Amino acid sequence: MKNFPQTADILIIGGGVMGASAAYHLAKRGVKNIVLLEKESHFGTGATGRCAGGVRYQFSTEINVTLSIHSLPMIERFKEELGQDPGYHKYGYLLVATNENIVREFEHNVAMQNRLGVGTELLSGDEVRKRLPLMRFDDALAGTFHHLDGTADPNSLVMGYINAAQKMGVRTLTGADVIGITVSGGEIRSVKTNLGEIETRLVLNAAGPWSGLVGAMAGVHLPITPLRRQMFTTNPLREVPEDFPFVIDFAQSLYFHREGEGLLVGMSNPNEKPGFDQNVDEDFELVNLESAIERMPLLEKASRASHWAGLYEITPDAHPIYGVTDVKGFLLCTGFSGHGFMHGPVSGKLMSELILDGKFSSVDVSMLDLKRFEEGRLINEYNVV
Ligand SMILES: Cc1cc2nc3c(=O)[nH]c(=O)nc-3n(C[C@H](O)[C@H](O)[C@H](O)COP(=O)(O)OP(=O)(O)OC[C@H]3O[C@@H](n4cnc5c(N)ncnc54)[C@H](O)[C@@H]3O)c2cc1C
């Protein structure tokens, strides 16, 4: 390839929200000779481009809430900073509890979120029913609602960062598949791609669900499991109001939010097997549709506009992995376990801090290191959908 870069001061693998945000934040701090490699023909077509776009403060661990406290205002300021509208719609997330265990968990989570300054409300079953007149939630015992939660547009975020990074001199390549990483003396030396080899001393693995494969190229085992998740959208449904919240029936991992003038509906298959298959499982789609119609009968008359599947990048404690590995110069920003889109902005910034200052300053994520898995320091997140 003509003009293929021969060297990189920092080489980023992956052009999803993590890689794009890291490239932007590093370039903004003045780093020259950054190369970002994406194997597909467009940026943001991995997990980021297939995600539901949900952004929320409502998590069950302090660290995830804290990441949201830093990341969501960055989405809020995105247009001002990068000139691209991120399509942030704040219609709130309404999580619904239909059994006592979930109610206890919700009470605990709301108290913790309130302590951190997040104004989540705890709702009674009757309040849930009142707020969701189009839905059938006779069995709702409680709910939680936070008005600043909502959705943003994944493509706008990725391309906002990529375009701004390019303007600051970052070399961003599509169709550049990383096929090998040379390590010698315990240090990164070069990265091999289908287009050629690039010498570098610093690699950031931001390959999302494929991060485990990239880790293996450097001889680093990563406990990241790719797991298929899917959803469908409907044609316009006039009955659904513009302020319809992102509703999650927690016990079923079933969710609904407005998408254009219709709805986006998704559900997690508890029997899904790990793997890289991104085709829609039509049998499970029927299960999803039936459960959705039970909750929202008007879906019976809806028609499907589109459907797709993508991969979660699951770690054993459903928290991301940030930072160093035993291979010098091989860094990680991955393993976001199905809720990373919303933490992309702050995560790229955190990686720029680690690389340039040697420590995380915006949020202390040092406990989310790779070593926690072998040292048994796992932090479980309950609010995974
Ligand atoms: C169905 C679904 C719904 C979701 N819903 C939400 C949600 O509502 N809210 C939320 O916050 N998160 C959600 N997520 C999770 C979110 O999408 C991810 O956590 C986040 O996008 C991860 O970003 P990433 O940049 O790490 O990964 P990706 O976007 O997958 O980017 C990694 C990139 O690396 C590239 N790559 C991989 N291997 C190589 C290689 N060898 N060489 C070169 N390039 C390579 C890939 O092609 C890919 O583009 C959802 C995910 C899915 C699948």
Side-chain angles (χ1 to χ4, degrees):
M1 184 200 179
K2 218 176 137 203
N3 292 333
F4 185 76
Q6 302 299 305
T7 66
D9 289 347
I10 301 176
L11 189 146
I12 299 170
I13 304 175
V17 71
M18 299 303 158
S21 171
Y24 167 75
H25 285 100
L26 284 160
K28 197 175 158 203
R29 293 271 312 264
V31 181
K32 304 288 174 217
N33 199 14
I34 302 170
V35 174
L36 181 148
L37 304 176
E38 167 54 52
K39 68 180 165 68
E40 300 298 334
S41 53
H42 292 90
F43 299 108
T45 58
T48 305
R50 293 160 187 261
C51 87
V55 303
R56 59 178 154 119
Y57 289 80
Q58 296 192 63
F59 280 97
S60 75
T61 65
E62 290 198 10
I63 186 64
N64 271 336
V65 177
T66 307
L67 285 168
S68 292
I69 288 173
H70 285 80
S71 209
L72 272 56
M74 292 170 78
I75 301 177
E76 181 111 46
R77 295 192 303 270
F78 202 78
K79 186 164 184 202
E80 198 183 308
E81 188 177 333
L82 290 111
Q84 166 89 43
D85 184 352
Y88 185 8
H89 295 294
K90 292 172 223 157
Y91 28 58
Y93 260 59
L94 202 165
L95 277 55
V96 184
T98 50
N99 70 50
E100 285 298 341
N101 288 341
I102 301 178
V103 174
R104 297 285 88 76
E105 196 62 40
F106 278 13
E107 286 169 351
H108 175 268
N109 293 346
V110 170
M112 179 269 289
Q113 290 161 15
N114 290 172
R115 200 169 61 244
L116 294 177
V118 174
T120 310
E121 302 164 62
L122 189 62
L123 309 177
S124 67
D126 281 342
E127 282 168 317
V128 169
R129 283 181 281 278
K130 203 166 143 208
R131 287 189 189 212
L132 300 174
L134 291 177
M135 303 194 75
R136 208 182 267 158
F137 266 121
D138 301 338
D139 53 344
L141 299 177
T144 65
F145 181 77
H146 184 244
H147 67 291
L148 294 179
D149 295 347
T151 55
D153 176 39
N155 186 52
S156 300
L157 236 66
V158 171
M159 291 318 297
Y161 281 136
I162 292 281
N163 291 335
Q166 286 171 341
K167 281 188 195 135
M168 290 186 283
V170 176
R171 302 276 314 268
T172 59
L173 277 72
T174 50
D177 190 2
V178 172
I179 51 176
I181 296 176
T182 311
V183 176
S184 94
E187 286 184 42
I188 293 283
R189 303 289 168 165
S190 71
V191 166
K192 290 185 189 132
T193 79
N194 57 326
L195 304 172
E197 189 163 356
I198 305 172
E199 272 181 39
T200 186
R201 291 302 175 102
L202 212 155
V203 168
L204 174 58
N205 180 357
W210 300 270
S211 297
L213 303 177
V214 170
M217 292 178 200
V220 175
H221 170 71
L222 301 180
I224 293 176
T225 308
L227 201 63
R228 175 171 58 175
R229 292 292 182 238
Q230 62 188 47
M231 58 191 78
F232 63 87
T233 59
T234 71
N235 284 333
L237 289 166
R238 270 182 304 106
E239 297 85 340
V240 180
E242 273 186 28
D243 60 352
F244 184 76
F246 194 129
V247 177
I248 305 180
D249 172 358
F250 213 76
Q252 295 194 81
S253 262
L254 170 66
Y255 56 90
F256 307 77
H257 74 70
R258 253 186 87 101
E259 182 81 359
E261 290 174 24
L263 276 181
L264 179 149
V265 181
M267 186 174 175
S268 300
N269 180 355
N271 301 318
E272 189 64 64
K273 303 267 182 308
F276 291 99
D277 184 1
Q278 296 195 86
N279 294 308
V280 171
D281 173 348
E282 304 265 358
D283 291 340
F284 187 72
E285 187 169 85
L286 275 181
V287 177
N288 184 356
L289 182 61
E290 279 168 17
S291 309
I293 289 173
E294 267 180 40
R295 287 299 185 203
M296 196 178 227
L298 75 83
L299 280 171
E300 215 154 9
K301 63 166 194 173
S303 51
R304 192 181 72 195
S306 63
H307 65 172
W308 66 91
L311 302 172
Y312 275 16
E313 64 301 40
I314 306 276
T315 65
D317 62 4
H319 281 79
I321 313 175
Y322 293 106
V324 299
T325 63
D326 285 340
V327 171
K328 193 169 169 212
F330 188 61
L331 302 180
L332 308 172
C333 180
T334 181
F336 288 82
S337 304
H339 46 259
F341 163 61
M342 67 188 92
H343 293 159
V346 74
S347 298
K349 184 164 186 234
L350 285 167
M351 293 315 295
S352 72
E353 292 167 357
L354 179 70
I355 291 168
L356 300 177
D357 312 325
K359 63 177 178 23
F360 301 110
S361 333
S362 301
V363 181
D364 181 7
V365 289
S366 53
M367 79 293 263
L368 297 179
D369 57 344
L370 178 60
K371 282 261 187 278
R372 75 180 186 274
F373 300 106
E374 59 183 73
E375 293 172 4
R377 289 183 279 108
L378 274 61
I379 314 153
N380 280 309
E381 173 58 58
Y382 182 77
N383 281 5
V384 178
V385 182

